[in-house]
Amino acid sequence: MTIKDTPEEWEVRATQTPFVGNKTSVRTDDVVMPDGSVVRRDYQVHPGSVAVLALDDAGRALVIRQYRHPVRHKLWEIPAGLLDVPGENPLHAAQRELYEEAHVKAEDWRVLTDVYTTAGGCDEAVRIFLARNLSEADGERFEAEHEETDMELSRVPVDELVRGVLAGELHNNCLVVGVLSLVAAQQGDGLDALRPAEAPWPARPFES
């Protein structure tokens, strides 16, 4: 038996979009179940995101602390952002986010993992990259706004992040998945065996 997610699409009898926001919307679909019944499903429609686990030569991950209003917390996170342009190459988006949020560039990029963040209620797909061989970016720093004006930046040993995840002290989805995937890759075939930075991503197809 092969453990692998597979694409599948059940019949939708009707659909509507009762809410449209700045970046996301809410869709309501009437979906035909296997027994023939029709059930209404509401979910958030999301453009997709990228996140970057940037690892320096000392084995520390670059993390940011930012206020997240829906959960009323300041969370430690890895740099991340929306795929603002349909069909945008996720690598380019990740490089932009690392520059804007940390003023850092990286020479070595790999795909760490791909996830659906909340598949029961949102179609958001996130590609988490591993970035290595870090250095300070050229040019002026990106001008922050809104929640980002209060953002903190730090470099934390991966072991400390793992401890915080398992202790229930760190909760950001991309940080948790990224850090644990990094450790699994290090203990497995090694980081150089990870997928290339422009590996296909069926959840959000793109052109190189």
Side-chain angles (χ1 to χ4, degrees), residues 1-206:
M1 179 178 176
T2 301
I3 304 298
K4 182 179 180 180
D5 295 336
T6 55
E8 183 168 317
E9 188 169 353
W10 293 0
E11 181 185 353
V12 175
R13 291 278 173 85
T15 186
Q16 55 182 310
T17 306
F19 171 79
V20 177
N22 185 32
K23 296 293 185 181
T24 66
S25 60
V26 173
R27 183 175 296 163
T28 298
D29 289 343
D30 293 340
V31 186
V32 180
M33 298 289 110
D35 63 0
S37 63
V38 178
V39 176
R40 179 157 291 182
R41 291 288 179 259
D42 303 316
Y43 58 100
Q44 183 184 21
V45 178
H46 194 284
S49 306
V50 292
V52 185
L53 200 162
L55 191 67
D56 69 15
D57 293 339
R60 301 173 301 175
L62 194 156
V63 292
I64 58 177
R65 188 171 183 243
Q66 185 173 348
Y67 177 66
R68 294 300 187 183
H69 186 70
V71 295
R72 291 355 184 235
H73 269 71
K74 273 193 170 181
L75 300 180
W76 284 104
E77 308 178 351
I78 58 177
L82 297 175
L83 288 168
D84 294 311
V85 181
E88 181 179 16
N89 187 317
L91 173 61
H92 300 165
Q95 291 170 332
R96 179 184 68 240
E97 292 300 329
L98 186 60
Y99 164 75
E100 291 182 356
E101 296 191 352
H103 200 66
V104 166
K105 63 181 180 180
E107 298 300 323
D108 187 279
W109 290 82
R110 311 274 172 153
V111 174
L112 193 51
T113 189
D114 300 322
V115 295
Y116 291 116
T117 56
T118 320
C122 179
D123 71 351
E124 181 184 16
V126 180
R127 169 156 281 189
I128 304 176
F129 290 90
L130 172 66
R132 295 181 292 173
N133 298 341
L134 309 182
S135 61
E136 186 171 355
D138 301 323
E140 296 182 2
R141 288 186 174 272
F142 181 77
E143 186 174 347
E145 60 181 5
H146 306 308
E147 290 91 344
E148 293 181 351
T149 59
D150 190 45
M151 197 164 59
E152 301 173 47
L153 180 66
S154 186
R155 297 190 183 207
V156 180
V158 170
D159 290 348
E160 177 62 16
L161 295 175
V162 171
R163 185 208 63 77
V165 168
L166 299 181
E169 298 169 355
L170 299 172
H171 306 88
N172 174 258
N173 184 295
C174 291
L175 183 147
V176 171
V177 174
V179 165
L180 298 185
S181 296
L182 172 70
V183 173
Q186 289 173 327
Q187 295 177 353
D189 294 332
L191 301 183
D192 290 337
L194 291 168
R195 286 174 291 161
E198 295 191 293
W201 189 19
R204 293 294 185 273
F206 63 93

